[in-house]
């Protein structure tokens, strides 16, 4: 036996890579080996109870990504799409049920890495393999899933665009929607209703369903907000603006306890008013959005501004900012930036706790208000230093001091802070050590 054969006989990974490179793959004989390799990725990193702890999760993630890159990608390159599908399907289901501490996001990294491989299968495989994938996706999405649900959902509704598949998806989504409606007491009833209804309505459009059937379905399900929204758009597209507006106005009264849905109805309603040329009503709806349903939304704020003349806008803006500010926890700083209201932006930044806002808007404010920002730094860094911490915390404090050195008068302020800390915290050896590295 040659050295090459000896090595390959004892290294299943190398053997599979070698056979792939020379084109000697066989779905029937090779699939069990690949599925066993997937299982081994999980088993070798799990403890006796099947749990992959934080320490092992990193190795698990790295090994799985290597497997996808070195063993599955070559199969894609060789056009072995049926085999790739079976491997990915097995891996996805294992990932969905693995018991793991993936605080660093290993499972989602693996799922995301698989998307390109799925794309190759769904764009290049023959009709038989595509049908297999389609059937498998439909089967899995009818079950409760964990982290892979969104990915599988995206695959099903992003690809499979032939007329036959669109008709199949139309029937499938109708079936899923009806199934959900049978369990109104389910804890996730609203979410599932919205999900499958959204897909069904999309498929109705994609399948070019006759208008009469669309209207019948919508009228029978107007109590569902998503149907009402869809139907209003349908009416607008068919130049029945008056009906669309009435659907939306009535819809707002049906979802008064749901701010998200109120915002959706209001957005469509202001668009309908704009399409009708009803400028006053259009502005009123935008105002309500900005002050109630989507407070301080930057895009809506800009849209309302565009409806006013340069002369009229400042007065309207002041009234609007006052109204928006009545909402609790609303953040007006992005609007101040948009309007170049730097004095108000500075006041909000100084009033905010911590340094996050200061550092977010520092480049904009520093050329105009360096003294005020330096005073804010002084106040916050001293407050941070009152509690003891690890060396990492003291390193963070030194980084802030270095940032302060870039300000006019920053050096004198930092020297004073360092002197004060040396007097106040002489026993904090790690702190003193880090301060000694600061070049003043």
């Amino acid at each position: 036996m040659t050295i090459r054969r000896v090595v390959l006989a004892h290294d299943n990974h190398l053997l599979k890579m070698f056979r792939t490179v020379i084109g000697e793959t066989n779905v029937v004989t090779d699939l069990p080996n690949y599925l066993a390799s997937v299982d081994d990725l999980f088993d070798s990193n799990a403890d006796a109870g099947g749990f992959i702890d934080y320490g092992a999760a990193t190795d698990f993630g790295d090994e799985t990504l290597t497997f996808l890159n070195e063993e599955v990608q070559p199969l894609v390159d060789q056009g072995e799409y049926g085999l790739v599908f079976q491997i990915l399907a097995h891996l996805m289901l294992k990932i969905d049920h693995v018991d793991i501490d993936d605080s660093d996001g290993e499972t989602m990294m693996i799922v995301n890495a698989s998307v390109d491989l799925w794309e190759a299968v769904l764009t290049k495989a023959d009709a038989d393999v595509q049908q297999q994938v389609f059937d498998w996706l439909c089967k899995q999405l009818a079950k409760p899933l964990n982290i892979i649900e969104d990915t599988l959902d995206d695959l099903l509704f992003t690809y499979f665009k032939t007329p036959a598949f669109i008709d199949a998806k139309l029937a499938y989504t109708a079936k899923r929607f009806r199934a959900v409606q049978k369990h109104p007491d389910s804890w996730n009833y609203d979410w599932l209703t919205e999900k499958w209804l959204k897909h069904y309505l999309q498929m109705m459009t994609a399948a070019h369903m006759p208008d009469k059937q669309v209207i019948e379905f919508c009228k029978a399900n107007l109590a569902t907000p998503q149907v009402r929204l869809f139907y209003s758009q349908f009416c607008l597209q068919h130049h029945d603006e008056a009906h669309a507006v009435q659907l939306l106005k009535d819809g707002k009264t049906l979802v008064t306890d749901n701010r998200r849905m109120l915002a959706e109805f209001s957005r469509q309603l202001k668009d309908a008013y704009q399409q009708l040329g009803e400028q006053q009503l259009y502005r009123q709806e935008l105002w309500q959005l900005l002050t109630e349903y989507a407070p301080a939304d930057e895009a809506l704020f800009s849209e309302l501004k565009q409806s006013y003349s340069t002369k009229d806008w400042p007065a309207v803006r002041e009234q609007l900012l006052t109204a928006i500010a009545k909402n609790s926890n609303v953040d007006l700083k992005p609007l101040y930036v948009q309007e170049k209201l730097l004095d108000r932006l500075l006041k909000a930044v100084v009033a905010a706790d911590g340094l996050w806002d200061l550092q977010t808007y520092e480049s904009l404010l520093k050329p105009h208000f360096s003294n005020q920002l330096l005073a804010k730094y002084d106040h916050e860094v001293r407050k941070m230093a009152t509690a003891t911490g690890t060396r990492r915390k003291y390193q963070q404090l030194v980084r802030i001091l270095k940032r302060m050195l870039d300000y006019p008068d920053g050096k004198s302020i930092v020297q004073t802070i360092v002197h004060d800390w040396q007097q106040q915290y002489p026993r904090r050896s790690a702190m003193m050590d880090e301060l000694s590295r600061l070049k003043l």
Side-chain angles (χ1 to χ4, degrees):
M1 182 178 290
T2 66
I3 294 177
R4 184 181 69 183
R5 289 181 177 177
V6 170
V7 172
L8 293 177
H10 289 82
D11 193 320
N12 191 47
H13 169 65
L14 286 178
L15 177 60
K16 285 183 289 186
M17 290 181 65
F18 177 73
R19 293 187 62 191
T20 300
V21 169
I22 65 174
E24 290 186 0
T25 54
N26 182 290
V27 175
V28 175
T29 59
D30 290 348
L31 179 59
N33 291 330
Y34 281 105
L35 299 188
S37 294
V38 171
D39 292 340
D40 186 58
L41 292 168
F42 291 80
D43 297 341
S44 63
N45 287 290
D47 60 21
F51 176 67
I52 301 177
D53 62 27
Y54 178 79
T58 299
D59 290 339
F60 167 71
D62 291 343
E63 292 168 13
T64 305
L65 293 176
T66 298
F67 170 77
L68 291 174
N69 185 53
E70 295 186 359
E71 298 197 31
V72 182
Q73 182 61 54
L75 294 174
V76 171
D77 298 337
Q78 292 289 330
E80 296 289 349
Y81 303 118
L83 183 55
V84 172
F85 157 57
Q86 296 289 347
I87 296 168
L88 292 177
H90 187 63
L91 174 62
M92 289 296 98
L93 294 181
K94 296 279 289 187
I95 281 287
D96 201 53
H97 295 97
V98 65
D99 190 7
I100 183 174
D101 178 357
D102 67 335
S103 300
D104 292 334
E106 287 84 2
T107 53
M108 285 311 303
M109 284 191 288
I110 293 167
V111 171
N112 292 337
S114 75
V115 170
D116 288 342
L117 301 172
W118 279 111
E119 181 181 6
V121 172
L122 295 173
T123 56
K124 300 177 182 178
D126 61 30
D128 288 341
V129 172
Q130 289 197 21
Q131 186 65 55
Q132 291 176 41
V133 179
F134 180 84
D135 293 342
W136 181 81
L137 289 171
C138 290
K139 179 180 179 181
Q140 302 311 318
L141 287 168
K143 305 174 183 177
L145 296 171
N146 298 311
I147 68 168
I148 67 170
E149 180 170 0
D150 288 345
T151 299
L152 299 193
D153 191 86
D154 287 343
L155 292 175
L156 182 62
F157 292 101
T158 300
Y159 301 96
F160 308 103
K161 295 184 179 295
T162 65
F165 276 133
I166 289 175
D167 288 343
K169 286 194 283 188
L170 178 64
Y172 176 71
T173 53
K175 179 180 179 181
R176 296 306 314 148
F177 177 63
R178 289 194 297 270
V180 171
Q181 298 303 296
K182 294 178 181 179
H183 303 283
D185 296 328
S186 174
W187 67 271
N188 58 350
Y189 172 80
D190 290 340
W191 180 80
L192 287 174
T193 295
E194 182 174 349
K195 170 186 173 177
W196 289 112
L197 183 58
K198 172 186 173 184
H199 286 317
Y200 180 59
L201 295 173
Q202 289 173 339
M203 290 303 103
M204 287 172 63
T205 301
H208 303 292
M209 182 178 286
D211 290 351
K212 182 179 178 181
Q213 290 181 248
V214 174
I215 293 170
E216 287 176 355
F217 174 82
C218 290
K219 287 184 174 180
N221 293 277
L222 276 182
T224 305
Q226 291 80 7
V227 174
R228 185 176 287 268
L229 287 167
F230 175 85
Y231 190 29
S232 69
Q233 284 297 102
F234 178 88
C235 291
L236 285 173
Q237 291 165 5
H238 289 74
H239 306 291
D240 189 358
E241 289 87 356
H243 193 192
V245 166
Q246 194 59 52
L247 285 167
L248 294 168
K249 289 172 67 176
D250 292 345
K252 287 178 67 176
T253 67
L254 298 175
V255 293
T256 53
D257 59 342
N258 186 331
R259 176 177 280 195
R260 182 177 66 85
M261 289 307 304
L262 270 170
E264 286 297 316
F265 275 102
S266 189
R267 285 175 187 272
Q268 283 200 19
L269 187 53
K270 61 95 175 169
D271 289 342
Y273 285 142
Q274 186 180 38
Q275 186 171 323
L276 286 166
E278 297 281 359
Q279 188 178 58
Q280 184 176 353
L281 293 173
Y282 165 66
R283 286 174 173 173
Q284 287 176 359
E285 205 62 39
L286 265 172
W287 186 282
Q288 194 165 32
L289 272 164
L290 278 163
T291 58
E292 296 182 40
Y293 311 144
D297 183 281
E298 294 177 68
L300 294 172
F301 187 86
S302 179
E303 184 177 347
L304 183 58
K305 179 179 180 178
Q306 296 305 313
S307 75
Y308 284 93
S309 67
T310 304
K311 177 183 177 182
D312 293 338
W313 171 244
V316 174
R317 179 189 67 197
E318 295 309 309
Q319 296 174 15
L320 179 60
L321 290 174
T322 299
I324 294 174
K326 294 178 181 179
N327 290 274
S328 59
N329 301 319
V330 69
D331 184 8
L332 291 174
K333 291 186 287 294
L335 302 185
Y336 294 152
V337 172
Q338 191 176 125
E339 292 295 296
K340 297 182 174 58
L341 301 172
L342 298 187
D343 287 338
R344 299 186 206 184
L345 177 62
L346 173 68
K347 184 177 180 180
V349 165
V350 171
D353 289 332
L355 294 172
W356 176 264
D357 284 340
L358 190 159
Q359 294 177 352
T360 298
Y361 300 105
E362 188 171 17
S363 61
L364 185 63
L365 293 173
K366 186 177 177 181
H368 309 282
F369 308 104
S370 62
N371 290 339
Q372 293 91 329
L373 296 188
L374 189 58
K376 172 69 171 175
Y377 266 122
D378 189 354
H379 173 75
E380 293 294 340
V381 79
R382 288 179 182 275
K383 187 168 64 174
M384 292 169 66
T386 56
T388 58
T390 63
R391 181 176 291 271
R392 180 173 296 181
K393 175 183 176 178
Y394 300 137
Q395 290 171 343
Q396 179 189 11
L397 294 178
V398 170
R399 285 195 295 271
I400 294 171
L401 296 181
K402 288 180 179 178
R403 197 158 181 161
M404 294 170 66
L405 290 173
D406 291 334
Y407 280 77
D409 301 325
K411 184 175 181 178
S412 63
I413 297 293
V414 170
Q415 287 175 331
T416 300
I417 292 172
V418 171
H419 176 268
D420 291 346
W421 285 353
Q422 289 171 337
Q423 301 300 312
Q424 292 173 300
Y425 313 118
R427 292 187 176 183
R428 297 183 187 177
S429 56
M431 184 186 203
M432 296 300 106
D433 183 47
E434 293 300 326
L435 289 175
S436 71
R437 304 172 191 270
L438 184 64
K439 296 179 180 179
L440 296 174

